[in-house]
Amino acid sequence: MVGSVENGGEAVEILPDHFDPTAVVPEPLPKVVESDGELVNGKSNGDREIVLGRNVHTTCLEVTEPEANDDFTGDKDAFMASILARYRKTLLERTKHHLGYPYNLDFDYGALAQLQHFSINNLGDPFIESNYGVHSRQFEVGVLDWFARLWEIEKDEYWGYITNCGTEGNLHGILVGREVFPDGILYASRETHYSVFKAARMYRMECVKVDTLVSGEIDCADFKVKLLAHKDKPAIINVNIGTTVKGAVDDLDLVIQTLEESGFTHDRFYIHCDGALFGLMMPFVKRAPKVSFKKPIGSVSVSGHKFVGCPMPCGVQITRLEHINALSRDVEYLASRDATIMGSRNGHAPIFLWYTLNKKGYKGFQKEVQKCLRNAHYLKDRLLDAGISAMLNELSSTVVFERPWDEEFVRRWQLACQGNIAHVVVMPNVTIDKLDDFLSELVEKRSTWYQDGKVKPPCIGTEVGSENCLCTLHNK
Amino acid sequence: MVGSVENGGEAVEILPDHFDPTAVVPEPLPKVVESDGELVNGKSNGDREIVLGRNVHTTCLEVTEPEANDDFTGDKDAFMASILARYRKTLLERTKHHLGYPYNLDFDYGALAQLQHFSINNLGDPFIESNYGVHSRQFEVGVLDWFARLWEIEKDEYWGYITNCGTEGNLHGILVGREVFPDGILYASRETHYSVFKAARMYRMECVKVDTLVSGEIDCADFKVKLLAHKDKPAIINVNIGTTVKGAVDDLDLVIQTLEESGFTHDRFYIHCDGALFGLMMPFVKRAPKVSFKKPIGSVSVSGHKFVGCPMPCGVQITRLEHINALSRDVEYLASRDATIMGSRNGHAPIFLWYTLNKKGYKGFQKEVQKCLRNAHYLKDRLLDAGISAMLNELSSTVVFERPWDEEFVRRWQLACQGNIAHVVVMPNVTIDKLDDFLSELVEKRSTWYQDGKVKPPCIGTEVGSENCLCTLHNK
């Protein structure tokens, strides 16, 4: 409804007789269900209720039936153009003030605009052409080869595809693991992305949650205890190459060592590496434990819209070819094979990735990773200087700090929050200038939130360790 | 490799020392696994081997590392521009000669090109804003409302989202069914899309295949037998609103009646309607059985890139709000809710759909549906006139006919084939002129295939009914 109201009364839609706008229920949403604490990352959030975003039904842009003479008057075109222009302005502002999610918002795909006229669909297997000719497999396989080289697996030993997002990569990796070990138990740390627990539920798998260290890494002592308690069944492990909230990197080598020490031979476990963001940054960080198929891992997934940057979500999935034959089915209708989660697949995403990888190359990414880590350290240091509790994991560009008191401020900077903590993910588009703007606004606002002493800044010692907490208790 | 070879030797890539091109295995593909006949639509294809498409690894466009002076020389930019220009030419040609898949390739989203600069992501629930501000939920909910109205469900009673493709819709619908009836048995006809059987496998559900009539519709007599054999467990039914190969529409009313007659009360079954293509065409066809939430159905999915037309695959999923609460989890990190299959979601797709729905409206779609059905009849009649076996289901624009003998011809026109049949799906972009081109080429080529009498046109009586078959046996 608002679409026409905002237009200052110049509505052009025809509302049919039986479509009474006053009859529209403004809040058609289910009651907010309190999380059961199981699928939410990390610790329970105690008494604090989860703050959910606004109800979109009250602000949606209704689709309206064109009038008979629209082609002649051009009213409808003008109306839509005005909506799009306003929307573009919002996107510009929102892009400028974004800090909370690990998306690189800085890209220029102008050279690819010419391709938007085509319905590009890589339905089926990336390596086997389907009969549908309007595809981009030649770009897709080029991108996959680049990642196979990054993660050290030969061209004739891997299989993979460009996914719709990190979740699809996790769904695929865990499904492959389950097909390899039908009675395997899924192990994942408490700070694992919610898609992994969703997979366990979807696939009807037994799932064991493993504790985490304060850093957010998997606690291998607890992992060992849990492995030993379930020695009779194979293990399928999700290893986080950068957790969602704290950017913690699980120690892959220690995970493998723990498995071996617990009596799991290499033919009795399957490791999926969820490298959503850091899967692409880690290879360029010195001292980082290497993600490599030379180690006994089964699959790696990474998001394409995060560090690379892409107009729409996408991801890269690489797995061992030997595993995929069990999973796949030839589909004659396609003249191709069905080994992905989705059937039809966005053919534009591989071209975006191909374009950026070609432009930047390994060296370009290395430079950007260095810049991100440097800027993340800058942010953490300035926060601590200002007396604000903050933590930055060594291999990460995710700066965790006390949750701002004002939800309006959280929304303005689009911060991701959990319990008493918030984070900023420093991506290539996050400059020092932008961080300075954010810092000065935070410091200024914060002085008003806590000025009368009635509310105090939250203690986040449990979440980030007391040494990083500057609350009144820990900052003596 | 070919990327640089095709460039006439003007390769600009740096190949590192350890990256020996001669070491690249040209055929890193698994052996072609014969289908087990279970996941392929329809009847077994007897002795004919499935023809798979070409191996893409031999033609892929390698990603190459930029040279240090690329910015200065512009060589790399020029190289990439030349690849893209050539690719665009291929897309134009391939789009022009496409007939086999149900994609409307005729769209103009020029007005939306301005949005390609933004990373638009509707992560989480469409109805609850997440903290990530660069989203398009206001368009998404507008589109969902349009479909809710089409399928007769109130705004405060439905839930839905824009999916990545028809498969995601089926995965979601069947998952909701399974969550409603954890021990339910999935029933689907043999000619059901392969994604439904994939879902059964992923979700570890018992799955019963139901026979089909020659038309491709579900055989409700066989359905009844199978229901009665499993009366102890609830039923989850996939109803095809247009099968993949023959475009057959299952009779929803008869399916419901069969359930009732077999003793299944409304609280013991869940119906998911897979309306991939025809879900959007059917409402505009007179005499077609209506898909409506006034009937005891649980969910409907439809593809967005098919009849509407969209640069990338997408779909619309509508389900009952009452069912979704059981499935969903609040995710504090997002300030939203996780009730979709994917987490991050393409925010451009809803804008494409919103744009087209606004431009065309219900009336525009009605006109296009009429045109498609008319042109499909034209094609079927001309095929029969030329002595070529052909069938067209009453409510469909999918013309089924004898599979062309020459695979090169099949690839040129991008026909989808199965066993001895092929099909053309008449979409809004398929004009009479295009059909005439296709027909004259087919008739001309066909006369050469069969001229010496050694090879005969295949009999497709089993697939399409003897009354539609013009083979030497049936055409007496």
Side-chain angles (χ1 to χ4, degrees):
Chain A
M1 309 310 328
V2 173
S4 57
V5 172
E6 277 187 352
N7 199 31
E10 296 165 33
V12 292
E13 73 262 47
I14 323 169
L15 284 171
D17 296 342
H18 65 278
F19 198 64
D20 175 13
T22 62
V24 174
V25 178
E27 293 278 339
L29 277 177
K31 287 190 210 93
V32 171
V33 184
E34 263 291 312
S35 162
D36 62 5
E38 280 304 284
L39 286 194
V40 173
N41 289 333
K43 313 293 184 292
S44 149
N45 60 352
D47 291 319
R48 181 198 272 269
E49 270 198 25
I50 291 182
V51 180
L52 288 178
R54 282 171 296 192
N55 178 350
V56 180
H57 237 138
T58 55
T59 56
C60 84
L61 296 162
E62 195 192 9
V63 173
T64 58
E65 193 71 7
E67 290 207 53
N69 61 350
D70 265 347
D71 279 346
F72 177 71
T73 64
D75 280 357
K76 181 89 183 226
D77 281 347
F79 172 62
M80 285 166 67
S82 78
I83 287 188
L84 289 170
R86 217 167 35 223
Y87 179 58
R88 187 170 176 277
K89 235 176 118 182
T90 313
L91 290 179
L92 276 171
E93 186 279 325
R94 295 281 70 200
T95 296
K96 197 176 143 201
H97 283 101
H98 174 265
L99 283 178
Y101 292 82
Y103 309 146
N104 180 5
L105 304 185
D106 185 16
F107 50 74
D108 177 6
Y109 291 120
L112 304 181
Q114 54 178 326
L115 303 180
Q116 200 191 263
H117 301 287
F118 301 100
S119 182
I120 312 181
N121 189 338
N122 292 353
L123 65 172
D125 193 292
F127 298 97
I128 307 173
E129 263 190 18
S130 85
N131 276 340
Y132 182 60
V134 188
H135 68 79
S136 65
R137 282 180 172 75
Q138 61 275 53
F139 295 90
E140 183 175 23
V141 174
V143 170
L144 294 173
D145 280 353
W146 190 92
F147 278 92
R149 191 174 142 205
L150 186 71
W151 293 324
E152 305 188 310
I153 183 164
E154 296 294 321
K155 288 194 190 184
D156 58 347
E157 288 180 1
Y158 88 85
W159 183 89
Y161 73 108
I162 309 290
T163 60
N164 285 296
C165 58
T167 291
E168 187 175 355
N170 289 341
L171 289 182
H172 194 272
I174 292 165
L175 184 61
V176 170
R178 194 199 69 177
E179 296 300 286
V180 173
F181 297 121
D183 64 336
I185 293 177
L186 178 62
Y187 296 84
S189 88
R190 295 197 175 279
E191 305 205 19
T192 297
H193 190 256
Y194 58 87
S195 60
V196 170
F197 302 110
K198 179 160 68 178
R201 182 172 169 174
M202 277 169 66
Y203 300 155
R204 294 188 154 164
M205 294 170 77
E206 204 177 326
C207 178
V208 172
K209 282 196 185 173
V210 181
D211 287 343
T212 44
L213 307 173
V214 168
S215 66
E217 283 170 71
I218 189 168
D219 177 353
C220 279
D222 186 58
F223 182 39
K224 194 169 192 174
V225 170
K226 282 168 177 161
L227 279 174
L228 291 173
H230 301 92
K231 278 195 75 166
D232 53 322
K233 287 187 181 167
I236 297 161
I237 307 100
N238 179 79
V239 168
N240 295 309
I241 310 301
T243 58
T244 318
V245 175
K246 295 180 187 168
V249 176
D250 291 347
D251 187 333
L252 176 59
D253 297 328
L254 191 57
V255 166
I256 294 170
Q257 191 190 319
T258 306
L259 281 157
E260 290 169 345
E261 285 172 5
S262 308
F264 284 77
T265 48
H266 289 197
D267 59 348
R268 290 199 64 239
F269 67 80
Y270 179 97
I271 294 177
H272 170 68
C273 297
D274 175 8
L277 168 63
F278 289 110
L280 190 43
M281 297 178 71
M282 284 260 299
F284 305 108
V285 180
K286 279 178 199 162
R287 287 162 303 134
K290 204 167 185 178
V291 172
S292 164
F293 278 92
K294 290 183 178 164
K295 300 176 182 177
I297 62 171
S299 44
V300 183
S301 58
V302 70
S303 296
H305 58 299
K306 292 185 176 164
F307 198 71
V308 181
C310 190
M312 72 280 293
C314 63
V316 175
Q317 178 71 1
I318 300 281
T319 184
R320 292 184 193 273
L321 183 55
E322 59 184 296
H323 294 324
I324 213 66
N325 289 332
L327 189 74
S328 67
R329 288 285 181 277
D330 290 338
V331 178
E332 188 175 18
Y333 170 71
L334 303 177
S336 187
R337 200 169 56 155
D338 183 38
T340 66
I341 301 280
M342 294 301 147
S344 287
R345 300 187 299 106
N346 181 352
H348 293 269
I351 310 176
F352 289 123
L353 297 181
W354 181 88
Y355 187 82
T356 301
L357 298 186
N358 261 303
K359 289 281 266 190
K360 295 189 177 167
Y362 293 102
K363 279 199 194 118
F365 283 113
Q366 188 160 32
K367 256 190 233 166
E368 292 198 330
V369 169
Q370 283 163 355
K371 191 182 110 185
C372 290
L373 295 182
R374 212 164 43 231
N375 290 356
H377 274 276
Y378 174 83
L379 172 61
K380 184 206 63 174
D381 292 344
R382 291 296 82 73
L383 284 166
L384 291 173
D385 291 349
I388 301 171
S389 310
M391 176 185 82
L392 172 61
N393 274 312
E394 194 194 5
L395 306 170
S396 168
S397 70
T398 301
V399 179
V400 177
F401 59 99
E402 66 168 52
R403 181 181 187 144
W405 179 82
D406 181 8
E407 285 302 322
E408 199 44 49
F409 182 88
V410 167
R411 263 199 294 277
R412 175 167 153 78
W413 289 95
Q414 303 163 54
L415 305 176
C417 296
Q418 191 176 281
N420 284 326
I421 56 175
H423 76 202
V424 161
V425 186
V426 178
M427 296 304 285
N429 66 315
V430 176
T431 58
I432 293 283
D433 277 355
K434 194 172 196 170
L435 291 174
D436 281 340
D437 283 353
F438 168 74
L439 281 160
S440 65
E441 198 178 311
L442 175 61
V443 168
E444 188 204 318
K445 295 267 182 191
R446 194 169 175 270
S447 68
T448 67
W449 301 333
Y450 302 125
Q451 65 180 345
D452 60 5
K454 281 186 192 156
V455 199
K456 285 203 171 61
C459 166
I460 60 170
T462 335
E463 283 98 339
V464 302
S466 52
E467 71 279 16
N468 298 308
C469 184
L470 302 181
C471 79
T472 44
L473 174 73
H474 290 113
N475 186 27
K476 282 175 197 163
Chain B
M1 310 308 326
V2 172
S4 56
V5 173
E6 278 186 352
N7 198 33
E10 295 165 33
V12 292
E13 72 261 47
I14 323 170
L15 284 172
D17 296 341
H18 64 279
F19 198 65
D20 175 12
T22 62
V24 174
V25 178
E27 292 279 338
L29 276 178
K31 290 192 208 90
V32 171
V33 185
E34 264 290 312
S35 162
D36 61 6
E38 280 304 284
L39 284 194
V40 173
N41 288 334
K43 313 293 184 292
S44 150
N45 59 352
D47 291 319
R48 182 199 271 268
E49 271 197 26
I50 291 181
V51 180
L52 288 178
R54 283 171 296 193
N55 178 350
V56 179
H57 236 139
T58 55
T59 55
C60 84
L61 296 163
E62 195 192 9
V63 173
T64 59
E65 192 72 7
E67 290 207 52
N69 61 352
D70 266 348
D71 279 348
F72 178 71
T73 64
D75 280 355
K76 181 87 184 227
D77 281 347
F79 171 63
M80 285 166 67
S82 77
I83 287 187
L84 290 171
R86 220 169 31 223
Y87 178 58
R88 187 168 176 278
K89 235 177 117 183
T90 313
L91 290 180
L92 276 170
E93 187 278 325
R94 295 280 70 198
T95 296
K96 198 178 142 199
H97 282 102
H98 173 264
L99 283 178
Y101 292 82
Y103 308 146
N104 180 5
L105 304 185
D106 185 18
F107 49 74
D108 177 7
Y109 291 121
L112 305 180
Q114 54 178 324
L115 304 179
Q116 200 191 263
H117 301 287
F118 301 100
S119 181
I120 312 180
N121 189 337
N122 291 354
L123 64 173
D125 193 292
F127 298 96
I128 307 173
E129 264 190 17
S130 86
N131 276 340
Y132 182 60
V134 188
H135 67 81
S136 66
R137 282 180 172 74
Q138 59 277 51
F139 295 90
E140 184 174 21
V141 173
V143 170
L144 294 173
D145 281 353
W146 191 91
F147 279 92
R149 190 176 143 205
L150 186 69
W151 294 322
E152 305 187 310
I153 184 165
E154 295 296 319
K155 286 194 190 185
D156 58 347
E157 287 179 5
Y158 87 86
W159 183 90
Y161 73 108
I162 308 289
T163 60
N164 285 294
C165 57
T167 291
E168 186 174 354
N170 288 342
L171 290 181
H172 194 273
I174 293 165
L175 184 61
V176 170
R178 194 199 69 177
E179 297 301 285
V180 173
F181 297 120
D183 64 337
I185 293 178
L186 178 63
Y187 296 85
S189 87
R190 296 198 174 278
E191 304 206 18
T192 297
H193 190 257
Y194 58 88
S195 60
V196 170
F197 302 110
K198 178 158 72 176
R201 182 172 168 174
M202 278 170 65
Y203 299 154
R204 294 186 155 166
M205 294 170 77
E206 204 177 327
C207 178
V208 172
K209 283 196 185 173
V210 181
D211 288 341
T212 44
L213 307 173
V214 168
S215 67
E217 283 172 70
I218 189 167
D219 176 354
C220 279
D222 186 58
F223 182 40
K224 193 169 192 173
V225 171
K226 282 167 179 162
L227 279 173
L228 292 174
H230 301 93
K231 277 195 74 166
D232 54 323
K233 288 188 179 166
I236 298 161
I237 307 100
N238 178 81
V239 167
N240 295 309
I241 310 302
T243 58
T244 318
V245 174
K246 296 181 187 168
V249 177
D250 291 347
D251 186 334
L252 176 59
D253 296 329
L254 190 57
V255 165
I256 294 169
Q257 192 191 318
T258 307
L259 281 157
E260 290 170 346
E261 285 172 6
S262 309
F264 285 76
T265 48
H266 288 199
D267 59 347
R268 290 197 66 238
F269 66 81
Y270 180 98
I271 293 177
H272 169 68
C273 297
D274 175 8
L277 167 64
F278 289 109
L280 190 43
M281 296 178 72
M282 283 259 299
F284 305 108
V285 180
K286 278 180 198 161
R287 288 162 301 135
K290 205 167 184 175
V291 173
S292 163
F293 278 91
K294 289 182 178 164
K295 301 176 182 176
I297 62 171
S299 44
V300 183
S301 57
V302 70
S303 296
H305 58 298
K306 291 183 178 164
F307 197 72
V308 181
C310 189
M312 70 280 294
C314 64
V316 175
Q317 178 70 0
I318 301 281
T319 183
R320 291 184 193 274
L321 183 56
E322 59 184 298
H323 294 324
I324 213 65
N325 289 332
L327 189 74
S328 69
R329 287 286 181 276
D330 290 338
V331 178
E332 188 175 18
Y333 170 73
L334 305 177
S336 187
R337 199 169 56 155
D338 183 36
T340 65
I341 301 278
M342 294 301 146
S344 287
R345 299 187 298 106
N346 181 353
H348 293 269
I351 309 176
F352 289 123
L353 296 181
W354 182 88
Y355 187 81
T356 301
L357 298 186
N358 262 303
K359 290 280 267 191
K360 296 190 176 167
Y362 294 102
K363 280 200 193 115
F365 283 113
Q366 188 159 31
K367 256 190 234 166
E368 292 200 330
V369 168
Q370 283 163 354
K371 191 182 110 186
C372 290
L373 296 182
R374 211 165 42 230
N375 291 354
H377 273 276
Y378 174 83
L379 172 62
K380 185 206 63 173
D381 292 344
R382 290 296 84 72
L383 284 165
L384 291 173
D385 290 349
I388 301 171
S389 311
M391 176 185 83
L392 171 61
N393 274 312
E394 194 194 6
L395 306 169
S396 169
S397 71
T398 300
V399 179
V400 178
F401 58 100
E402 67 169 50
R403 181 182 187 144
W405 179 82
D406 181 8
E407 285 302 323
E408 199 42 51
F409 181 87
V410 166
R411 264 199 295 277
R412 175 165 153 79
W413 289 96
Q414 303 163 53
L415 306 176
C417 297
Q418 191 175 282
N420 284 326
I421 55 175
H423 76 203
V424 160
V425 186
V426 178
M427 298 301 287
N429 66 314
V430 175
T431 58
I432 292 284
D433 277 354
K434 195 172 196 170
L435 291 175
D436 281 340
D437 284 353
F438 168 73
L439 281 160
S440 64
E441 198 178 311
L442 174 62
V443 168
E444 188 204 318
K445 296 267 183 192
R446 195 170 173 271
S447 68
T448 68
W449 302 333
Y450 303 126
Q451 63 181 346
D452 60 6
K454 281 186 192 154
V455 199
K456 286 203 170 64
C459 166
I460 61 171
T462 337
E463 284 98 337
V464 301
S466 52
E467 70 280 15
N468 298 307
C469 185
L470 301 182
C471 78
T472 45
L473 176 73
H474 290 113
N475 186 28
K476 283 174 196 165

